[in-house]
Amino acid sequence: MGRKEEEEMKTSIKNWPKDDRPREKLLKNGEHTLSDSELLAILLRSGVKGENAIDLARRILAKFGTFRNMGHTDIRDWQEFKGLGEAKITQIKAAIEV
């Protein structure tokens, strides 16, 4: 296994204990028990190269501050998040609007 694969294995949520994974945590304890970054990670469904969904969610929240702020953004405001395309961004914005 190469260095890149080893790093991805370390950060992959699939390698976390089941009780720590956002989806499983939501199903077991309810959505109210998750942090904003865990909720956003569920919407993201996956991370990007070298970064799991929770770490990516934390960076997104650090930039926008709140879900409400994310909903009032232009697609261009998301350009710094490599690996997030228009489909994923519109999916997030639609979920926030709901």
Side-chain angles (χ1 to χ4, degrees), residues 26-40:
L26 185 146
L27 291 171
K28 184 176 179 182
N29 304 317
E31 60 277 359
H32 62 280
T33 64
L34 274 65
S35 67
D36 285 350
S37 58
E38 290 171 320
L39 292 167
L40 181 55

Side-chain angles (χ1 to χ4, degrees), residues 24-92:
E24 288 80 355
K25 199 170 166 182
L26 185 146
L27 291 171
K28 184 176 179 182
N29 304 317
E31 60 277 359
H32 62 280
T33 64
L34 274 65
S35 67
D36 285 350
S37 58
E38 290 171 320
L39 292 167
L40 181 55
I42 290 172
L43 292 175
L44 289 167
R45 295 183 49 212
S46 63
V48 295
K49 191 171 183 170
E51 186 173 41
N52 66 43
I54 289 183
D55 291 335
L56 177 57
R58 286 180 182 138
R59 281 197 314 119
I60 292 169
L61 284 164
K63 175 175 177 134
F64 297 117
T66 65
F67 288 113
R68 183 178 303 273
N69 289 345
M70 276 183 243
H72 297 292
T73 60
D74 187 274
I75 295 293
R76 292 172 294 203
D77 296 326
W78 295 74
Q79 288 178 337
E80 73 185 67
F81 303 105
K82 302 295 182 212
L84 288 187
E86 288 182 356
K88 182 77 67 171
I89 295 165
T90 56
Q91 179 179 341
I92 293 166

